[in-house]
Amino acid sequence: MAATTIAGRCLAPAEGRTPKRAGAQRESLDMSEVMIEALDLSKRYDDSLALDKVSMEVRRGEVLGFLGPNGAGKSTTMKILTCFTAPTEGTAKVNGCDIFDDSLGVRKSIGYLPESTALYHDMLVLEYLQFVAEMRGLNGAEQRKQVKKVVEETGLEGVFAKGIQTLSKGYKQRVGLAQALLHEPPILILDEPMSGLDPNQAVEIRDLIKEIGRERTVILSTHNLAEVQVACDRVLIISKGRIVADDTPAGLSERAGKRRYLVTVQKSNGLSETSGCAALEKISGVQRVRSLAAEAEDELSFELLPTTDEDLRAPVFKAAVDNGYTLLDLHREGQNLEQVFRDLTTTESPDPEAHDAAAE
Amino acid sequence: MDRTLTIAKREFRGYFNSPAAYIVVCLFLLLLGFFFWSPFFLANRASVRGMFDLMSVLLLPTAPAMTMGLLSEEKRTGTIEVLLTMPVRDSEVILGKFLGALSLLSVLLLLTVAYPLSVSTLGTIDWGPILTGYLALLLQGSAMLAIGVLASSWTDNQLIAFFVAGMMCFALWIVSRFLPFIPQQAAGIIEWISFDYHFRNLVRGVIDTRNVFYFLSVIGLALAMAFRSLESRRWS
């Protein structure tokens, strides 16, 4: 006993030191270094709240996908992180620089592709890249080297002597990306980099982003779920200015992979929504039951979420018979990503559980 | 400062990437040539005095035409987002745009030197007032360009920027002609804020620091306001 107490005493100060040590480790192990740290970002436009206390951390080597419906606040967040606009409340640090105190420092360490892929249409691709390089402080041999490199990376060899206004949407997107990559920024912020591209181009750009994301931090926004699954290490789902989910694509799929059972029974005496819910909840393996809007007046519908992958159809049938319910319909369905996305983004509340409770 | 010049260079080259600059410059020179030479031989005097007054009028539509797209076009197309997320200060952007327009104005003024040169072959002319005349044009033109940059920072519509800048410049230019209708006490101030009053002094061949200072103040004030207007996007 005495030995354990001593051990316990010895451990205590050591434990106290652990966070510091972890911090020191983080510096040497740069893959876990926090590159972007946002704290309670809020943005108010006139009377509408575009962002509501958004906080997040993004580490080096992470490809983070921003997912959300239009107007959810994805672009606003990106504009704040790139110092184009300032938050009404809250602040953020990008690569250790504060967006208010050292906006130039922030902007030096980011490459940004805005939503509209806006380019100077009166310039040649090469001229444009040279201009951006000059603005980024790249001159002479270094400029030539970097321009050549990004032209190769983004596959612009065939068009670099052409006028930007003659390019197709896909090529314009690539020029925008090339522009963002020129100074080899540790952080890339891409607002809908794959929108408007044909599937082949989208795959190319996506692979390029993945490649870039190995050593650098990438934030990209999209409303395409499939893209997020392939390209991102982590997904933030934003809805109405709030983060409603922060998960890996695998985690989201898991959520999506969950089966649910839909049960419809005939309304009868002694069977109400609440008693039905209670009866169905007793079945072992059922995590949660909620009643759904029934299709007909003399019917009651319930949704059952299981705790395990076990098939619950037989127990549900048995429970219905035992309680004397007339079972009209029973089927099992998988929840897909679209459904998860819809669930998360059509609710007022950031917590999906709370939403379910409210729906009851 | 490097970035200011990079922006100025891009703007200057941009002018010649589209026909707009050629049209503006050619129109200016054509109108100047027509209105300067047609009464020239009637007067039968080797003088270019009238040319400067003429140019100061012609600048009224020309300067706003040069500046109308500088910021408004960037806002409309969204390129301003790329520009302002590069490591460049808002003040450098404003100054770069202004210098880009100023270099086009300088080219335009340089082209008009052909007129005094041709007049000098017809008789002896006094080069002193011509030099101060060009200084006056450069200063007044710069003030107009600065006002143009300001108007361009207010809107994302080139045409609106053109008319707003044109009206502001016109107001500052014409206000001295209304002096007889203005009460005595205010007349001094009104005269002092008009372009024309300071312009005339310089064209006469007198370099008075007060006149130079006036134009520099207008430039400074307009550019500072444009800077604030550009900066205000962050807080809106």
Side-chain angles (χ1 to χ4, degrees):
Chain A
M1 274 309 279
T4 45
T5 0
I6 291 163
R9 273 197 199 134
C10 289
L11 261 177
E15 266 172 2
R17 223 179 284 143
T18 336
K20 270 186 208 157
R21 211 190 280 159
Q25 240 170 5
R26 197 174 283 167
E27 271 168 31
S28 58
L29 227 173
D30 61 4
M31 289 310 274
S32 62
E33 191 186 341
V34 177
M35 298 302 282
I36 297 175
E37 192 182 2
L39 206 70
D40 288 340
L41 292 178
S42 296
K43 179 76 182 175
R44 191 179 291 277
Y45 290 113
D46 295 327
D47 52 348
S48 69
L49 198 59
L51 273 191
D52 189 4
K53 295 199 170 149
V54 166
S55 298
M56 61 177 171
E57 265 185 14
V58 193
R59 295 175 190 286
R60 187 187 292 273
E62 212 171 16
V63 179
L64 176 74
F66 266 11
L67 205 59
N70 291 331
K74 291 172 294 182
S75 294
T76 307
T77 311
M78 291 185 154
K79 280 178 191 169
I80 290 173
L81 293 177
T82 53
C83 298
F84 181 72
T85 179
T88 319
E89 273 165 56
T91 187
K93 272 192 173 166
V94 177
N95 199 17
C97 306
D98 190 278
I99 53 167
F100 286 107
D101 300 337
D102 189 6
S103 131
L104 284 183
V106 170
R107 286 182 277 167
K108 266 180 202 151
S109 40
I110 53 157
Y112 176 46
L113 173 70
E115 192 176 1
S116 48
T117 323
L119 304 163
Y120 294 116
H121 281 192
D122 56 357
M123 293 176 104
L124 305 180
V125 174
L126 189 64
E127 269 179 348
Y128 178 66
L129 291 177
Q130 283 168 341
F131 165 70
V132 176
E134 235 172 278
M135 290 296 288
R136 292 284 184 185
L138 299 169
N139 289 304
E142 205 190 351
Q143 187 194 94
R144 276 193 295 277
K145 194 185 114 213
Q146 283 303 323
V147 169
K148 188 162 174 267
K149 196 178 145 205
V150 295
V151 163
E152 278 166 13
E153 265 181 339
T154 51
L156 289 171
E157 294 97 334
V159 298
F160 71 86
K162 280 191 184 164
I164 288 177
Q165 100 201 89
T166 65
L167 299 184
S168 67
K169 170 96 183 155
Y171 272 112
K172 280 181 189 158
Q173 201 83 344
R174 290 187 203 199
V175 175
L177 205 57
Q179 163 272 124
L181 290 169
L182 258 176
H183 55 299
E184 299 193 336
I187 298 162
L188 270 175
I189 296 182
L190 312 171
D191 204 349
E192 309 209 349
M194 288 164 281
S195 73
L197 301 184
D198 70 41
N200 293 335
Q201 293 169 329
V203 168
E204 276 173 40
I205 297 280
R206 201 177 62 203
D207 289 346
L208 181 63
I209 290 169
K210 268 185 102 172
E211 181 70 34
I212 295 160
R214 282 203 192 130
E215 316 110 60
R216 295 182 234 177
T217 307
V218 181
I219 297 186
L220 63 92
S221 77
T222 173
H223 35 233
N224 188 328
L225 295 151
E227 273 169 9
V228 163
Q229 285 200 292
V230 184
C232 305
D233 305 321
R234 213 173 109 206
V235 182
L236 281 185
I237 299 185
I238 301 188
S239 172
K240 299 196 176 111
R242 291 173 175 203
I243 294 178
V244 291
D246 180 352
D247 213 334
T248 57
L252 272 187
S253 308
E254 213 166 87
R255 223 184 268 202
K258 238 182 201 170
R259 298 188 177 287
R260 59 176 191 162
Y261 296 83
L262 295 174
V263 181
T264 307
V265 296
Q266 187 133 42
K267 223 178 205 172
S268 63
N269 286 342
L271 172 60
S272 66
E273 284 186 11
T274 36
S275 70
C277 275
L280 290 169
E281 248 166 13
K282 283 191 189 124
I283 303 167
S284 74
V286 172
Q287 189 196 23
R288 206 151 40 88
V289 181
R290 64 170 175 151
S291 68
L292 303 171
E295 277 168 38
E297 256 190 30
D298 57 342
E299 290 174 8
L300 283 174
S301 290
F302 300 97
E303 179 199 55
L304 279 69
L305 296 176
T307 43
T308 55
D309 287 343
E310 250 174 88
D311 194 345
L312 285 180
R313 282 175 295 182
V316 168
F317 176 75
K318 263 193 206 120
V321 173
D322 290 349
N323 285 295
Y325 300 161
T326 314
L327 193 60
L328 297 176
D329 192 21
L330 165 60
H331 71 268
R332 187 170 62 157
E333 63 174 37
Q335 224 179 339
N336 59 18
L337 250 187
E338 268 81 14
Q339 241 158 348
V340 172
F341 179 73
R342 244 195 329 263
D343 274 1
L344 287 170
T345 55
T346 49
T347 147
E348 293 284 336
S349 149
D351 184 3
E353 305 272 335
H355 159 60
D356 286 353
E360 277 181 35
Chain B
M1 202 58 206
D2 284 355
R3 298 191 164 93
T4 310
L5 291 181
T6 304
I7 293 173
K9 212 167 70 187
R10 200 204 77 77
E11 288 305 334
F12 185 64
R13 276 165 74 174
Y15 282 124
F16 295 98
N17 281 344
S18 79
Y22 293 102
I23 293 171
V24 168
V25 170
C26 287
L27 214 58
F28 183 95
L29 293 174
L30 274 174
L31 289 173
L32 178 66
F34 178 75
F35 287 112
F36 174 62
W37 290 111
S38 44
F40 181 80
F41 294 101
L42 292 175
N44 204 20
R45 268 177 56 207
S47 160
V48 287
R49 181 76 180 271
M51 187 182 86
F52 292 107
D53 291 331
L54 203 52
M55 281 209 265
S56 105
V57 179
L58 285 174
L59 276 180
L60 285 173
T62 310
M66 288 174 175
T67 54
M68 62 182 181
L70 286 179
L71 287 157
S72 60
E73 217 19 44
E74 296 236 16
K75 281 190 183 179
R76 191 182 62 81
T77 58
T79 48
I80 195 142
E81 260 187 69
V82 181
L83 185 64
L84 294 178
T85 51
M86 291 198 240
V88 57
R89 291 188 179 84
D90 288 359
S91 52
E92 291 175 318
V93 172
I94 296 288
L95 203 58
K97 298 274 178 191
F98 171 71
L99 290 179
L102 185 56
S103 42
L104 180 64
L105 178 74
S106 308
V107 169
L108 178 65
L109 292 183
L110 216 60
L111 289 172
T112 64
V113 175
Y115 294 160
L117 280 179
S118 12
V119 173
S120 71
T121 61
L122 302 171
T124 48
I125 60 171
D126 187 359
W127 284 98
I130 291 178
L131 281 179
T132 59
Y134 272 107
L135 177 70
L137 276 176
L138 199 64
L139 283 170
Q140 189 187 311
S142 299
M144 288 168 154
L145 293 178
I147 288 169
V149 171
L150 173 62
S152 189
S153 76
W154 281 336
T155 170
D156 57 6
N157 184 324
Q158 285 200 58
L159 215 57
I160 292 176
F162 174 78
F163 282 113
V164 169
M167 276 177 338
M168 287 167 75
C169 292
F170 184 69
L172 281 174
W173 177 81
I174 201 152
V175 74
S176 62
R177 323 254 149 147
F178 284 105
L179 283 181
F181 309 105
I182 291 166
Q184 193 91 65
Q185 298 89 329
I189 300 166
I190 297 294
E191 185 175 42
W192 201 84
I193 63 163
S194 74
F195 280 157
D196 209 40
Y197 169 70
H198 302 275
F199 185 79
R200 259 182 290 129
N201 278 347
L202 285 167
V203 169
R204 240 186 272 136
V206 186
I207 301 180
D208 187 334
T209 41
R210 275 176 300 179
N211 304 137
V212 176
F213 181 74
Y214 163 80
F215 284 119
L216 293 180
S217 316
V218 173
I219 296 167
L221 188 69
L223 291 183
M225 282 170 73
F227 165 72
R228 297 305 291 182
S229 150
L230 188 66
E231 206 188 26
S232 71
R233 79 179 185 282
R234 304 196 67 210
W235 314 107
S236 65

